[in-house]
Amino acid sequence: MSTRLRIALDAMGGDHAPDMVVDGADIARERCPNVDFLFVGDEQRINALLNARPALKAISQVRHTADVVAMDAKPSVALRSGRGSSMRLAIDAVASGEAASVVSAGNTGALMAMAKFVLKTLPGIDRPAIASMLPTMRGDCVMLDLGANLECDADNLVQFAVLGTVFAQTVLGLLEPTIGLLNVGSEEQKGHEAIRAAASALRATPLARNFHGFVEGTDIAAGTVDVVVTDGFTGNVALKTAEGTGKLFGEFLRRTFQSSLLAKLGYLLARTAFNKLRQRMDPRRYNGAMFLGLQGVCVKSHGGTDGLGFANAICVAVDLVQHGFNEKIRKELALLQDSLQAAAAAAASDSDPQAVAQ
C-alpha cells in the first residue's frame, strides 16, 4: 500500500477561490488517489463546497482562518501582518511536517517571501528560483528564473542550472536534460560578465556533458534545450512575451475564420485539428510554477486559473514529493561543490608548480 500524501492548499488564494481550489482538488483526487488535502481558509465557505463532494470531503481537513493575503499586497507587508493568513498557515503546515507540500494561487511575491522565510533555502542555494514548463516544437521545456530574482550573479545561474535539471528529470521524466543559458547571441563572447562566467563555471561541473551553451529567445520555442536558465528579469519578460504572442495568434486566428462565409466553412472542416491545437496550447496544462531551492515543496498556481488548471498545479506538487525532488537537489549540489573544489585545486596547482611538488 502506497503512503498517502497530504497537500496543504491555500483555499482563499486566487481570483476564483475557494470554488476553484475545491474544484481543482476534486479533479486531482481522481488523478492522484494517494493524496489527502488540508484546506486552509474560510471554514463555512469551504465546507459548503465539500458537502457537495462527499468523496473529496472524506479525504480532506479544513483549518479555519478569516485572514487572507490580498492579491495586491506588498510582500514585506504580507510577511509582517499575514501570520494568520490562509497562505501562511498552509506554508506552516509544510514546515511542521503536517503536509508534504503547499499549493497556492495567491499573491506571488507574498508567497515567495513567506515560503523563503518559513521553509528556508536548501544548503548550497543562495536564492530560490521560480520555474515552470513551456511548450516547444520538441515537447516541453523548463525555464527559470521567472521573476524571483531580478539580478543574478554567475553562482546563482549555476545553481539554477542544477535546480532546473532536477526539475526536468522529475516532472518531464528526462534522464539527461540539456541546458542552455539565455543570451543575446550564441557566440561565446556575447553577453554580460555574469552569464559568461556562469558558462565557464558550468563547463567545469558534472553538468558540462549536457550544457549546450548560450541560447537565444527563438531557441525557447524551438526546443533547442530542455532547461533554459536566466535571471528573473529576463525570464519574466520572456514568459510574458510568449503569453502575449500566444493570445495575439489566437485572436488573429479567430478573426481570420470569422472574416467570410468561406472562412467559417474552412473552420468547420478543420475544427478537429484546431481543437487539438487548442488543447496543446492550453495554459492550464502548464499551470504550476515551482519555487525551487526551498527546504519544502511550494507550488504557485496562476491566480486566474480554473479548477483544471489548479488540479495540474497540485499534480506538479505531488510529482515533486513522490520523486524526492529535494533529496535529488541535495545530491546534485554536493556533486557540484566537489567538482568546483576540484577545479579550483587544479587551477591552483597549474599556477603554482611548487605546490604540486610538495
Side-chain angles (χ1 to χ4, degrees):
M1 181 179 297
S2 60
T3 303
R4 297 194 66 81
L5 299 176
R6 171 167 287 186
I7 308 297
L9 304 178
D10 172 13
M12 311 312 292
D15 299 341
H16 310 293
D19 303 64
M20 170 272 294
V21 175
V22 176
D23 286 343
D26 203 24
I27 296 171
R29 171 187 60 83
E30 297 180 355
R31 297 183 185 177
C32 309
N34 65 322
V35 171
D36 296 334
F37 297 104
L38 171 62
F39 291 91
V40 185
D42 189 320
E43 185 176 28
Q44 184 175 358
R45 294 179 64 187
I46 297 169
N47 279 331
L49 295 168
L50 290 177
N51 288 337
R53 301 168 176 82
L56 177 61
K57 185 175 182 179
I59 59 170
S60 300
Q61 178 185 349
V62 180
R63 180 158 300 159
H64 175 72
T65 180
D67 191 3
V68 178
V69 174
M71 294 298 285
D72 59 350
K74 292 183 178 180
S76 57
V77 175
L79 186 61
R80 290 195 304 268
S81 62
R83 296 180 181 178
S85 66
S86 57
M87 180 183 290
R88 175 62 181 270
L89 295 180
I91 296 171
D92 287 345
V94 177
S96 67
E98 185 179 3
S101 67
V102 56
V103 183
S104 173
N107 183 314
T108 303
L111 183 64
M112 172 60 82
M114 288 185 180
K116 185 177 180 180
F117 177 78
V118 175
L119 301 177
K120 311 301 181 186
T121 57
L122 287 166
I125 296 294
D126 298 325
R127 303 178 183 178
I130 300 176
S132 189
M133 295 175 290
L134 298 176
T136 76
M137 296 179 187
R138 293 178 53 246
D140 295 329
C141 77
V142 175
M143 187 169 174
L144 72 166
D145 179 22
L146 297 180
N149 308 280
L150 300 187
E151 296 182 1
C152 299
D153 60 21
D155 289 340
N156 298 143
L157 295 174
V158 172
Q159 292 167 16
F160 293 169
V162 175
L163 296 173
T165 295
V166 179
F167 186 88
Q169 292 171 335
T170 303
V171 177
L172 299 182
L174 302 176
L175 295 178
E176 296 286 341
T178 54
I179 308 160
L181 288 171
L182 188 59
N183 202 349
V184 295
S186 58
E187 298 85 358
E188 290 192 10
Q189 71 273 16
K190 289 290 185 69
H192 51 69
E193 182 179 352
I195 196 168
R196 287 186 277 110
S200 178
L202 280 170
R203 293 188 179 98
T205 71
L207 297 178
R209 64 182 182 276
N210 297 321
F211 179 49
H212 175 84
F214 295 140
V215 294
E216 300 180 74
T218 54
D219 289 308
I220 300 173
T224 302
V225 294
D226 302 308
V227 180
V228 179
V229 177
T230 185
D231 61 83
F233 182 92
T234 307
N236 192 270
V237 171
L239 175 64
K240 298 295 174 58
T241 302
E243 291 176 347
T245 302
K247 292 179 181 179
L248 179 65
F249 175 77
E251 179 60 21
F252 281 172
L253 201 61
R254 185 186 66 81
R255 293 181 185 180
T256 299
F257 282 114
Q258 290 182 346
S259 61
S260 67
L261 182 61
L262 188 61
K264 292 179 181 179
L265 178 61
Y267 171 76
L268 291 175
L269 294 174
R271 183 167 54 184
T272 300
F274 281 113
N275 284 339
K276 290 182 179 179
L277 174 63
R278 185 181 298 110
Q279 293 173 6
R280 179 72 178 87
M281 299 297 293
D282 190 342
R284 297 176 299 179
R285 289 189 59 204
Y286 305 95
N287 187 45
M290 171 68 183
F291 290 174
L292 305 182
L294 297 172
Q295 298 193 57
V297 175
C298 179
V299 174
K300 171 66 173 70
S301 166
H302 194 288
T305 194
D306 61 7
L308 179 59
F310 197 78
N312 287 334
I314 293 174
C315 291
V316 169
V318 172
D319 284 343
L320 293 173
V321 173
Q322 288 183 331
H323 291 88
F325 175 79
N326 278 345
E327 287 305 314
K328 292 180 180 179
I329 288 292
R330 289 187 176 93
K331 292 179 181 178
E332 290 296 327
L333 287 172
L335 291 174
L336 175 65
Q337 292 299 323
D338 290 344
S339 63
L340 292 176
Q341 290 175 2
S349 298
D350 291 339
S351 61
D352 186 3
Q354 291 184 353
V356 177
Q358 293 175 354

